[in-house]
């Protein structure tokens, strides 16, 4: 680890050593800083009276609704949401939660903020740098106390308060926040061990403040001082322990977003201005580094694209609410992120299970499926009046309402969501979407995440997901967990868990070490040979260099052709190289698809309403099997699926063509394919 660290540029090494020194020196200051007195706090915030400060802060604009909401108007825009919010609010004030695949859990009267309640393993209350939160031998998951301490599960309570005005909601949230503060001394618990967690609490707590600032139960002088002191220390801690590296990802972005929110929240004085300016400068630089011009986040994960879009967008919205500007390139990058979201969204409204996923959100106000990202299309479309995005939007308006309020329905054209998107190439990000209204094929032929370091990307080059005629058929396997199980973590990001060829049992990008959970060697350099879109079909042809490291080099070349008229696809794999090899080509079925009939070189599959034939040439020379697989639709949740696998062992390289088409159209499909791909017969 030390040897790898010293390979970094001198500037990065210096900054890291300086950061380490500051953090060590801060341990001696932490106890007294945590007891920051009222007069010192007011001086730092350029004020003299706590209650006056509280009232002034409450009058400042905020980027999300924090005033009373008319129930009838809300139900008109978000039908069914009112009852759902009240039910979730009642769960939350009763300390019942469901986080990270836990199922519904009763936390008890006094919440244990330092324990993974799924395993019972806890972390001590001590200075954050002395806490080892990765414990592979115990299979504990630090994300559980972290997620619990983000307090996003209390957001429905705030919404219920705005919808009903009932004081019991304010009492519950104030009591829980006060208990959290008392249980997590400044810089001295596992919930201070990751700056991103501190920064995300800034977003949540500032919204809680604006929602409950005028509530009777929040008027107690002692509570007001305790709340503002803790929030101030959150922002100060974020600046002092910002997660900066030579290549920065979503942690650095979250830290910067927290600084913008904290600075804009406190508003006046040198420190507040410094925080918001520093955070905004970071975001303005990082959006150019982390997001390609085509709108794809460079971490090579669709769920993290969602999170990072929120982290770049919400501070921009906050600035505009306070009369501050955002520049045109920043806006253009956000709109591009919205367009990528629209492109990867499948006909059923859900996103592909691509790359890592930990269900992370910045300020979640809606209760749609965790894999429904359509609200991003609507939010960005409404904010920037982007006609293309507004016409594409087809999801719930909950998230949009809680940011913009009013009659958000009037922002959308009458035909919104009617048309299917067009096939689109995101060449910088490396994603290719072949689609029409009812078909959607999402293909990866791009770099691994975090500028070739791995990050939240998987071994999925040339892999794909497929929806045909409205039926999701082929799926990625998701991510499942992180530090809770090193074995599962590495399995779900491995080549075998993706719909891409594997040669000689090797990973397309080699793992560095089993405990390097976010790093990979960058072996599978991608190359797109053909991308063509026509009126009735689209064709992708790509390859990668992941198996050039073999003693006898092999280049996999994959062709995917989508027939818009017949709702059918071809997956053709060719292998350029010499010698004998083991070849394995898996396709993972979605959980909702049944295997109806299996014959030689033909499988019939389908859902309750539609059937499809999957078939391949009888002389292909591959052994076929149907095996058990695993899929994770959200963090900590796993389900069994079926996967199909074609393999050749210690054999010469041979191509394989697999056809997937609705029942009864196979002959027509092949005739059309040979017209588009004349070399396919060879």
């Amino acid at each position: 680890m030390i040897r790898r660290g010293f390979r970094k540029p001198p500037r990065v090494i210096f900054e890291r050593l300086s950061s380490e020194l500051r953090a060590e020196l801060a341990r001696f200051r932490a106890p007294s800083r945590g007891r920051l007195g009222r007069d010192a706090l007011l001086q730092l915030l350029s004020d003299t009276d706590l209650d006056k400060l509280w009232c002034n802060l409450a009058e400042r604009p905020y980027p999300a609704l924090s005033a009373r909401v008319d129930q009838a108007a809300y139900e008109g825009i978000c039908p069914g949401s009112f009852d759902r919010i009240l039910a979730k609010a009642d769960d939350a004030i009763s300390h019942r939660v469901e986080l990270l695949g836990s199922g519904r859990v009763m936390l008890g009267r006094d919440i244990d903020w330092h324990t993974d309640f799924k395993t019972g393993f806890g972390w001590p209350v001590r200075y954050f740098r002395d806490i080892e939160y990765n414990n592979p031998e115990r299979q504990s998951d630090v994300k559980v106390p972290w997620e619990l301490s983000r307090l996003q599960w209390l957001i429905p309570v705030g919404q219920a308060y705005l919808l009903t005005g009932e004081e019991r909601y304010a009492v519950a949230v104030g009591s829980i926040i006060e208990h959290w503060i008392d249980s997590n001394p400044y810089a001295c618990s596992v919930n201070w061990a990751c700056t991103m967690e501190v920064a995300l609490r800034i977003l949540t707590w500032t919204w809680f403040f604006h929602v409950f600032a005028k509530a009777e139960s929040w008027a107690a002088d002692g509570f007001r001082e305790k709340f503002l002191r803790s929030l101030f220390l959150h922002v100060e801690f974020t600046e002092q322990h910002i997660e900066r590296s030579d290549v920065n990802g979503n942690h650095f972005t979250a830290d910067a977003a927290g600084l913008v929110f904290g600075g804009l929240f406190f508003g006046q004085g040198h420190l507040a201005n410094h925080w918001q300016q520093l955070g905004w400068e970071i975001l303005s630089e990082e959006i150019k580094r982390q997001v390609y011009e085509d709108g794809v986040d460079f971490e090579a994960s669709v769920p993290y694209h969602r999170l990072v879009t929120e982290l770049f967008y919400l501070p921009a919205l906050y600035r505009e609410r306070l009369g501050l500007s955002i520049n045109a390139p920043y806006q253009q990058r956000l709109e591009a992120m919205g367009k990528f979201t629209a492109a990867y969204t499948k006909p059923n409204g859900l996103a592909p299970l691509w790359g890592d996923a930990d269900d992370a959100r910045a300020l979640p106000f809606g209760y749609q499926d965790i894999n429904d990202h359509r609200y991003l299309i609507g939010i960005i479309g409404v904010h920037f009046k982007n006609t293309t995005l507004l016409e594409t939007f087809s999801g719930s308006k909950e998230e949009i309402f809680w940011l913009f309020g009013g009659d958000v329905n009037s922002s959308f054209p009458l035909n919104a969501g009617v048309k299917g998107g067009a096939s689109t190439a995101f060449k910088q990000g490396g994603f290719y979407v072949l689609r029409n209204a009812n078909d959607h094929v999402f293909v990866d032929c791009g770099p691994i995440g975090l500028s070739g370091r791995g990050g939240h990307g998987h071994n999925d080059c040339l892999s794909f997901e497929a929806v045909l005629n409205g039926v999701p058929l082929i799926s990625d396997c998701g991510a499942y967990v992180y530090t809770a199980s090193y074995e599962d973590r590495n399995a779900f990001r491995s080549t075998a868990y993706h719909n891409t060829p594997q040669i000689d049992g090797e990973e397309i990008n080699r793992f560095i070490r089993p405990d390097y959970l976010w790093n990979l060697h960058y072996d599978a350099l991608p190359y797109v040979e053909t991308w063509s879109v026509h009126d009735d079909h689209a064709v992708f042809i790509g390859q990668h260099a992941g198996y050039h490291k073999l003693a006898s080099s092999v280049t996999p070349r994959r062709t995917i052709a989508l027939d818009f008229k017949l709702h059918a696809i071809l997956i053709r794999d060719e292998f350029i190289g010499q010698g004998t090899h083991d070849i394995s080509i898996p396709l993972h079925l979605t959980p909702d698809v049944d295997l109806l009939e299996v014959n030689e070189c033909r499988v019939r599959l389908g859902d309750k309403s539609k059937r499809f034939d999957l078939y391949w040439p009888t002389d292909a020379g591959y052994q076929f099997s149907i095996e058990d697989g695993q899929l994770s639709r959200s963090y900590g949740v796993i389900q069994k699926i079926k996967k199909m696998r074609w393999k050749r062992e210690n054999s010469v390289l041979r191509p394989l063509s697999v056809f997937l088409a609705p029942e009864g159209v196979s002959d027509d499909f092949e005739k059309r394919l040979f017209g588009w791909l004349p070399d396919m017969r060879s």
Side-chain angles (χ1 to χ4, degrees):
M1 180 72 77
I2 295 174
R3 188 164 53 249
R4 290 183 73 237
F6 278 98
R7 292 177 188 154
K8 296 182 182 296
R11 174 187 58 81
V12 175
I13 296 172
F14 175 77
E15 289 179 354
R16 180 62 183 270
L17 292 175
S18 299
S19 174
E20 292 287 316
L21 179 60
R22 287 194 301 270
E24 276 304 302
L25 293 175
R27 81 162 59 238
F28 304 105
R29 184 171 174 252
S32 61
R33 198 60 174 172
R35 296 189 299 270
L36 183 68
R38 175 188 295 214
D39 292 342
L41 175 64
L42 288 170
Q43 184 177 6
L44 288 166
L45 294 175
S46 302
D47 215 312
T48 57
D49 183 272
L50 187 77
D51 288 330
K52 180 183 174 183
L53 171 64
W54 185 276
C55 293
N56 288 340
L57 293 177
E59 296 303 318
R60 290 178 61 79
Y62 193 75
L65 287 189
S66 57
R68 283 295 303 274
V69 173
D70 181 84
Q71 294 181 25
Y74 180 64
E75 275 286 279
I77 295 170
C78 308
S81 180
F82 176 72
D83 290 338
R84 184 165 58 246
I85 284 174
L86 294 190
K88 288 182 174 294
D90 286 343
D91 274 347
I93 63 177
S94 300
H95 299 181
R96 275 192 303 271
V97 299
E98 186 171 354
L99 302 174
L100 304 176
S102 68
R104 283 162 62 88
V105 173
M106 188 71 185
L107 298 174
R109 188 186 69 176
D110 295 324
I111 297 172
D112 184 347
W113 300 102
H114 315 122
T115 296
D116 170 8
F117 57 71
K118 292 168 70 174
T119 65
F121 180 78
W123 289 265
V125 178
R126 61 173 62 146
Y127 189 60
F128 74 98
R129 286 177 58 81
D130 297 335
I131 297 173
E132 177 53 60
Y133 54 79
N134 285 339
N135 307 100
E137 71 282 357
R138 295 186 178 92
Q139 294 194 335
S140 59
D141 195 343
V142 73
K143 287 192 65 63
V144 174
W146 284 355
E147 190 75 21
L148 186 66
S149 290
R150 289 182 185 180
L151 297 185
Q152 293 175 350
W153 52 278
L154 284 176
I155 287 177
V157 187
Q159 293 171 312
Y161 178 76
L162 296 180
L163 287 162
T164 68
E166 294 183 21
E167 182 67 18
R168 66 190 180 102
Y169 295 124
V171 171
V173 173
S175 174
I176 290 171
I177 289 177
E178 189 165 21
H179 186 260
W180 189 95
I181 294 171
D182 292 341
S183 303
N184 291 271
Y186 173 68
C188 291
S189 81
V190 73
N191 294 309
W192 295 92
C194 173
T195 306
M196 179 180 184
E197 300 303 316
V198 181
L200 288 176
R201 282 197 295 275
I202 296 170
L203 274 61
T204 315
W205 286 28
T206 52
W207 184 71
F208 287 149
F209 172 87
H210 280 278
V211 170
F212 298 116
K214 298 177 182 179
E216 181 180 348
S217 58
W218 283 49
D221 189 55
F223 175 79
R224 287 184 170 184
E225 180 182 340
K226 182 180 290 188
F227 180 91
L228 289 179
R229 177 172 57 241
S230 184
L231 185 54
F232 173 89
L233 291 173
H234 270 67
V235 189
E236 184 178 74
F237 182 97
T238 299
E239 182 195 6
Q240 291 177 353
H241 303 286
I242 196 164
E243 297 162 281
R244 189 189 302 270
S245 185
D246 57 325
V247 177
N248 298 296
N250 67 86
H251 280 241
F252 192 51
T253 309
D255 299 348
L259 288 175
V260 173
F261 264 68
L264 294 178
F265 172 82
F266 284 114
Q268 64 185 39
H270 168 73
L271 267 180
N273 190 53
H274 166 69
W275 287 333
Q276 71 90 6
Q277 284 188 348
L278 173 61
W280 186 246
E281 287 171 4
I282 291 171
L283 292 176
S284 298
E285 287 300 315
E286 288 301 313
I287 198 170
K288 295 182 292 187
R289 295 189 179 113
Q290 296 185 30
V291 182
Y292 299 112
E293 287 186 16
D294 59 15
V296 179
D297 173 55
F298 82 144
E299 294 197 71
S301 157
V302 163
Y304 277 88
H305 174 87
R306 180 255 306 275
L307 172 63
V308 169
T309 303
E310 293 178 354
L311 293 173
F312 281 120
Y313 172 73
L314 289 171
L317 177 62
Y318 203 167
R319 283 176 60 84
E320 289 201 338
R321 292 279 164 87
L322 284 161
L324 301 172
S325 64
I326 63 172
N327 59 48
Y330 197 102
Q331 174 180 331
Q332 291 163 4
R333 206 62 60 104
L334 285 173
E335 291 182 271
M337 296 179 87
K339 291 176 182 176
F340 179 52
T341 305
Y344 68 61
T345 297
K346 298 181 284 191
N348 63 1
L350 302 183
L353 303 179
W354 217 264
D356 277 350
D358 67 353
D359 301 351
R361 297 286 312 277
L363 266 178
F365 291 119
Y367 305 99
Q368 64 281 345
D369 188 288
I370 190 64
N371 294 309
D372 184 349
H373 302 179
R374 288 176 292 178
Y375 65 90
L376 291 175
I377 306 167
I379 287 167
I380 296 171
V382 169
H383 186 166
F384 298 117
K385 297 180 174 58
N386 185 300
T387 303
T388 301
L389 294 177
L390 292 174
E391 289 178 346
T392 304
F393 178 77
S394 62
S396 165
K397 296 185 176 71
E398 281 181 289
E399 305 264 5
I400 306 168
F401 177 86
W402 287 102
L403 292 182
F404 295 100
D407 182 15
V408 297
N409 286 332
S410 63
S411 299
F412 296 90
L414 294 176
N415 65 340
V418 174
K419 297 187 297 183
S423 298
T424 311
F426 297 86
K427 295 182 179 180
Q428 292 169 310
F431 294 107
Y432 297 79
V433 181
L434 300 77
R435 71 176 304 179
N436 58 22
N438 295 309
D439 306 314
H440 188 279
V441 181
F442 182 85
V443 186
D444 182 344
C445 192
I448 60 171
L450 208 67
S451 295
R453 301 190 178 190
H456 290 293
H458 288 187
N459 276 345
D460 49 18
C461 194
L462 299 184
S463 187
F464 70 99
E465 285 197 7
V467 177
L468 297 181
N469 204 15
V471 180
L473 296 171
I474 308 298
S475 177
D476 193 80
C477 295
Y480 188 35
V481 293
Y482 292 168
T483 61
S485 168
Y486 285 23
E487 182 180 358
D488 286 331
R489 163 66 175 155
N490 288 326
F492 272 82
R493 65 183 185 137
S494 70
T495 306
Y497 271 63
H498 298 87
N499 303 310
T500 189
Q502 187 170 25
I503 311 296
D504 294 340
E506 293 286 334
E507 296 291 339
I508 63 173
N509 297 293
R510 291 163 295 158
F511 288 12
I512 296 174
R513 268 182 15 195
D515 59 333
Y516 281 27
L517 302 183
W518 287 274
N519 296 100
L520 294 166
H521 289 287
Y522 189 11
D523 300 318
L525 301 174
Y527 171 69
V528 176
E529 180 181 328
T530 299
W531 169 253
S532 61
V533 180
H534 307 270
D535 290 340
D536 58 353
H537 73 281
V539 175
F540 161 88
I541 304 176
Q543 55 185 257
H544 69 70
Y547 299 118
H548 289 186
K549 58 183 173 281
L550 299 177
S552 180
S553 173
V554 177
T555 300
R557 179 179 187 263
R558 170 163 278 184
T559 299
I560 296 179
L562 171 63
D563 188 321
F564 301 149
K565 178 181 177 181
L566 298 178
H567 310 294
I569 60 170
L570 161 75
I571 308 103
R572 177 172 171 82
D573 289 311
E574 301 165 89
F575 303 97
I576 305 166
Q578 302 294 323
T580 58
H581 299 272
D582 295 340
I583 302 174
S584 174
I585 304 172
L587 290 182
H588 297 83
L589 297 176
T590 66
D592 303 319
V593 172
D594 295 320
L595 291 166
L596 305 174
E597 187 178 340
V598 180
N599 296 312
E600 184 182 6
C601 298
R602 183 173 292 265
V603 176
R604 181 153 293 168
L605 48 87
D607 64 1
K608 296 178 181 178
S609 61
K610 297 173 184 174
R611 295 186 173 189
F612 297 82
D613 287 327
L614 185 146
Y615 57 99
W616 58 100
T618 56
D619 60 351
Y622 280 79
Q623 295 176 325
F624 174 74
S625 61
I626 296 174
E627 304 170 4
D628 292 330
Q630 300 181 103
L631 177 144
S632 177
R633 280 179 164 161
S634 63
Y635 190 92
V637 177
I638 197 168
Q639 61 190 123
K640 294 180 180 179
I641 59 169
K642 293 296 181 183
K643 72 174 181 180
M644 301 174 290
R645 189 156 72 105
W646 293 261
K647 64 181 180 179
R648 286 172 62 85
E649 295 180 343
N650 195 27
S651 302
V652 296
L653 299 170
R654 291 190 62 174
L656 175 68
S657 295
V658 175
F659 306 85
L660 180 54
E663 184 180 17
V665 305
S666 57
D667 289 342
D668 290 341
F669 181 38
E670 288 189 42
K671 290 177 184 177
R672 290 164 62 82
L673 279 172
F674 289 137
W676 304 331
L677 302 168
D679 296 334
M680 201 181 80
R681 294 181 186 273
S682 60

